Amino acid sequence: MRSVTASAPAKAILFGEHFVVKGALGVVTAIDLRARVKVTEDRGSSLTIYSRELGGKYKINLNNLESTPKPIAPFARIIKWLKERDYTIYPAIVEVKSNIPLGAGLGSSAATASAFTLSYTALHGAPLNQRELVEATIEAEIEAHGRPSGIDPNISVHGGVIAYRPGHEPVGITVGRELSEYKLVVADSGLKRNTKTAVEFVLDLASRYSGVLDHVYKAANELSKRAIIALERGDATTLGELMNINHGLLAAIGVSTPELEDLVYTARRAGALGSKITGAGLGGAIIALVHKDKTPIVVQELRNRAPWTSPVKLGESGVLVES
Ligand code: PMV
């Protein structure tokens, strides 16, 4: 039986999460953790999905997509999207393997969705182009999150480091060489949270305090603009300060927790130039910008408190066919 494997990267939002949902500029990097999806031809009328991360083996009845179990509903939504565009739908075995921590704000669901869409469409010789892959991945994210800004689907498809504003094409950022002296460290608090709940909480707060929070949204947009300049110049000191300010704005909209504050300040105390929540918050991960000489101590201090900590590489490749 023929098969195709595609992979897509995790991501870390450097600046602008939540604010991007209402149109502010966001800055995001692909990182060197990946979701791999192998699609193999099969007989019958279903997609059989194996995923340890999603809890085992599931079946999607291709003739009755509505009956799909919740954990794999995003796959059914992609199939429905392909069907509506007259792609040939065929039975297959889908094996998902990923080293991206789940529910941590590191883009695991978008990476899985884009890798699945590419491998499924490539197997029958009609791989979607990048724009279509983003659209299909947004469909999966709507199923999982309700109201995605599109930042996760765009970075999982395009990779690299990008500036993103909803409704606009993403713009690639060339990071200054000086930043090769610095590492981005990610620490997952292990506290599972739900992006949808966090996004709805923030949107509700923003609508009830619009006169106050409009200024915070404006500040976040301005902050991302300055961050893009600092990234291009390789100006780590400014980037660190902007990360700290961004963290303060995220605390202002209510998505920090005592555990996340502890990780953010642990990183700064150990020598990080800046640290902040990454992703939706209320749990999940933080990121810290650290000079390479200080990385071991920052990693060690974070490992004492967080169940998963790792330095990551920036600007990894977007979704691609591996074999
Ligand atoms: O799923 P997460 O934790 O990576 O959150 C995505 C970022 C948000 O800005 C909170 C939501 C969005 O769709 O942009």
Side-chain angles (χ1 to χ4, degrees):
M1 292 283 196
R2 289 183 314 133
S3 68
V4 168
T5 301
S7 74
K11 64 101 208 318
I13 298 183
L14 300 173
F15 298 95
E17 51 274 272
H18 284 292
F19 306 108
V20 71
V21 173
K22 275 166 64 80
L25 194 58
V27 181
V28 58
T29 180
I31 60 176
D32 58 336
L33 301 165
R34 293 186 88 81
R36 285 196 168 72
V37 180
K38 180 176 176 190
V39 177
T40 306
E41 288 176 328
D42 198 13
R43 298 209 172 80
S45 58
S46 50
L47 275 193
T48 308
I49 300 180
Y50 293 93
S51 165
R52 200 157 51 87
E53 289 76 17
L54 296 174
K57 177 182 167 184
Y58 296 92
K59 271 194 189 294
I60 293 179
N61 179 347
L62 294 172
N63 299 320
N64 181 11
L65 294 173
E66 309 308 322
S67 66
T68 302
K70 190 116 184 84
I72 51 162
F75 292 88
R77 185 110 179 196
I78 293 169
I79 293 293
K80 186 162 172 252
W81 185 92
L82 291 169
K83 236 181 192 172
E84 284 163 6
R85 277 151 193 81
D86 292 332
Y87 280 89
T88 314
I89 302 302
Y90 56 90
I93 295 166
V94 180
E95 292 161 87
V96 182
K97 289 200 175 123
S98 169
N99 60 0
I100 308 172
L102 277 189
L106 298 175
S108 157
S109 54
T112 304
S114 63
F116 164 68
T117 310
L118 181 57
S119 49
Y120 187 79
T121 54
L123 182 58
H124 278 211
L128 299 191
N129 64 33
Q130 286 197 322
R131 189 182 288 253
E132 293 165 328
L133 285 168
V134 169
E135 271 184 50
T137 307
I138 287 177
E139 283 296 311
E141 292 282 279
I142 290 172
E143 187 65 45
H145 300 166
R147 189 178 156 177
S149 66
I151 196 167
D152 286 18
N154 271 282
I155 193 65
S156 80
V157 170
H158 296 289
V161 182
I162 61 175
Y164 177 75
R165 195 189 291 283
H168 297 261
E169 283 298 308
V171 179
I173 299 171
T174 307
V175 173
R177 290 223 336 250
E178 297 79 353
L179 283 183
S180 58
E181 295 288 298
Y182 297 83
K183 297 262 181 222
L184 194 71
V185 176
V186 180
D188 178 11
S189 68
L191 299 168
K192 298 288 170 233
R193 87 291 174 278
N194 179 297
T195 302
K196 191 173 182 193
T197 313
V199 168
E200 281 169 4
F201 171 81
V202 170
L203 289 174
D204 173 57
L205 197 73
S207 77
R208 287 189 293 114
Y209 291 95
S210 58
V212 178
L213 291 180
D214 283 357
H215 301 284
V216 180
Y217 277 79
K218 262 199 186 144
N221 188 59
E222 190 57 34
L223 196 148
S224 286
K225 284 195 208 158
R226 291 196 189 200
I228 292 165
I229 298 168
L231 276 166
E232 286 171 345
R233 288 191 181 146
D235 178 351
T237 307
T238 302
L239 278 174
E241 285 174 345
L242 291 171
M243 283 168 76
N244 292 345
I245 298 171
N246 195 161
H247 181 74
L249 301 185
L250 289 167
I253 57 170
V255 296
S256 194
T257 66
E259 295 83 358
L260 294 173
E261 291 298 316
D262 182 41
L263 295 180
V264 160
Y265 282 94
T266 294
R268 290 185 205 169
R269 262 198 315 272
L273 290 179
S275 55
K276 63 181 275 291
I277 289 169
T278 189
L282 294 179
I286 66 119
I287 51 172
L289 182 67
V290 192
H291 188 272
K292 64 180 188 332
D293 294 347
K294 295 237 168 92
T295 304
I297 177 73
V298 172
V299 167
Q300 189 191 318
E301 290 292 326
L302 287 169
R303 278 197 182 139
N304 289 339
R305 290 172 164 78
W308 186 93
T309 299
S310 180
V312 294
K313 287 203 193 117
L314 302 192
E316 290 291 300
S317 310
V319 68
L320 48 84
V321 170
E322 293 194 337
S323 59

